[in-house]
Amino acid sequence: MTETTKTHVILLSCGSFNPITKGHIHMFEKARDYLHKTGRFIVIGGIISPVHDSYGKPGLVSSRHRLTMCQLAVQSSDWIRVDPWECYQDTWQTTCSVLEHHRDLMKRVTGCILSNVNSPSTTPVIGQPQNETRPIYQNSNNTSNKPTAIKLLGKVSESLGKICCVRPHIERFTFVDENANLGTAMRYEEIELRILLLCGSDLLESFCIPGLWNESDMEVIVGDFGIVVVPRDGTDTERIMNHSSILRKYKDNIIVVKEDMNHPMSVVSSTKSRLALQHGDGHVVDYLSQPVIDYILQSQLYINTSG
C-alpha cells in the first residue's frame, strides 16, 4: 500500500493517569509499532486524555496535578500529546463523548474524511482563557491551489501535527475552541483518518461487566471507532471478546497487539506505582519517569494516601 492509501490513525487513551507511568507510554509505543508492522496503518499522533475530577475514584488527585505529570511524561515524545479538554468540562465525560469530541475536532480542523464520522457530537466544547497568542491550530497556509497527492500527504501531516504533536508549556494547556478562527479549511479527501481508542485488556474486560457500560456507548466505541488493545500479563483477549455480544459483533474493529508478555513495562500500573511511593520502594524508578517522580515528591502526592 502507498502512504496515501494507508489508514492514518490517531491513538486516544482515556483514563485516570493517577499517576501516568512508563507503562502508559510503552502502550502507545507498542501499539504504534504493531500497527505500522501490519502495513495497513500510519500512526500520526497519540492523545492522552485524563479523566475529570468528578469521576469519583478513591485517591484520585486533582486534574491540575495529573495534567502536569502527563505533560512531564511526554515531554521527550514528538508524537504523543496531553489534551486537557476532558478535565476542563463541567463534569465527568463518558469515553464515548471524548472520542466524539476529538473526531469532530479533527474533522473541523483538517477537513479530512474520517472513516468513523457518523453524526456530529452534541458534546459542548468549552474553551479556557488564554493569553493573547496566535492559535496553535490556525492554518495560515495559502490554500488557493489544489495540492498534488504528494503535497497532500505533507499538508495533512503538518495540520495533524499541530493537533496531535504540539505540547503547550507546563500549566498552560491550549486547545481548540469551537469558535476559534481556523482559517480556510483544506479538504484532504484522499486521506482516510481514524481515531482509535487505545486501552489495556482490563478495559476490554470491563465491557463484559453487566450494567457497567451503556450499550449504545459500547456500540459507538467499538463499532464506529474501534479499539487497539495492548494486553497485560498474558490475558486471554479471545476469551474476553467471546463473553460480550457487542465485542463479538465488532470483532474486526478490535486490534489486539501481540506483545512479549515478559517485557517489564507490561506489568507496570498506577496502583503499583502509588504503593511503591507510599512504602518508599526504590523500584518506583522502574515505574515512573524521573520528572514525574520529582514532581510527585515536590507536591507531596500519594505519600500519605491509601489505595
Side-chain angles (χ1 to χ4, degrees), residues 198-216:
L198 175 65
C199 65
S201 49
D202 52 345
L203 186 141
L204 186 71
E205 198 158 14
S206 73
F207 283 154
C208 303
I209 301 175
L212 184 61
W213 289 83
N214 182 299
E215 287 201 6
S216 61

Side-chain angles (χ1 to χ4, degrees), residues 49-273:
S49 182
V51 75
H52 193 275
D53 286 341
S54 65
Y55 180 58
K57 189 174 183 179
L60 185 68
V61 303
S62 164
S63 60
R64 176 174 65 87
H65 291 306
R66 289 182 289 114
L67 285 167
T68 302
M69 288 186 285
C70 287
Q71 290 280 15
L72 290 168
V74 302
Q75 63 185 349
S76 62
S77 174
D78 61 358
W79 69 281
I80 305 171
R81 77 170 182 89
V82 182
D83 190 277
W85 178 85
E86 187 176 351
C87 291
Y88 282 169
Q89 301 312 293
D90 290 334
T91 188
W92 170 75
Q93 299 292 308
T94 64
T95 300
C96 185
S97 294
V98 178
L99 283 163
E100 287 175 334
H101 161 72
H102 285 284
R103 175 199 65 189
D104 296 344
L105 177 61
M106 298 303 167
K107 188 174 181 354
R108 290 201 305 272
V109 174
T110 69
C112 280
I113 301 300
L114 275 73
S115 59
N116 42 20
V117 168
N118 288 324
S119 58
S121 160
T122 57
T123 306
V125 180
I126 300 176
Q128 297 297 307
Q130 299 295 330
N131 297 331
E132 291 298 322
T133 56
R134 183 184 179 194
I136 60 173
Y137 302 126
Q138 184 169 347
N139 183 358
S140 60
N141 295 326
N142 185 344
T143 59
S144 59
N145 298 322
K146 186 174 181 179
T148 63
I150 294 177
K151 289 181 180 178
L152 181 81
L153 183 59
K155 292 287 186 181
V156 73
S157 296
E158 178 184 348
S159 294
L160 291 170
K162 292 177 182 177
I163 301 169
C164 303
C165 303
V166 175
R167 296 183 305 280
H169 296 299
I170 298 297
E171 296 184 352
R172 180 181 176 276
F173 302 99
T174 306
F175 61 102
V176 176
D177 188 284
E178 62 181 350
N179 298 313
N181 176 18
L182 301 178
T184 303
M186 172 80 75
R187 294 197 64 80
Y188 304 109
E189 298 185 357
E190 291 87 345
I191 299 297
E192 182 187 9
L193 173 63
R194 296 193 67 186
I195 299 174
L196 299 177
L197 180 66
L198 175 65
C199 65
S201 49
D202 52 345
L203 186 141
L204 186 71
E205 198 158 14
S206 73
F207 283 154
C208 303
I209 301 175
L212 184 61
W213 289 83
N214 182 299
E215 287 201 6
S216 61
D217 280 4
M218 287 178 61
E219 289 271 354
V220 172
I221 293 169
V222 189
D224 292 350
F225 286 92
I227 58 180
V228 179
V229 183
V230 180
R232 251 189 212 164
D233 300 333
T235 305
D236 188 349
T237 54
E238 195 73 25
R239 178 191 59 80
I240 295 172
M241 287 187 281
N242 286 333
H243 271 74
S244 165
S245 59
I246 293 178
L247 295 182
R248 288 197 304 271
K249 179 180 177 181
Y250 297 111
K251 193 173 181 178
D252 290 343
N253 280 354
I254 302 173
I255 301 171
V256 179
V257 175
K258 310 299 181 184
E259 180 183 41
D260 178 7
M261 296 306 166
N262 294 321
H263 194 288
M265 288 300 103
S266 67
V267 295
V268 171
S269 70
S270 293
T271 301
K272 184 178 290 187
S273 301

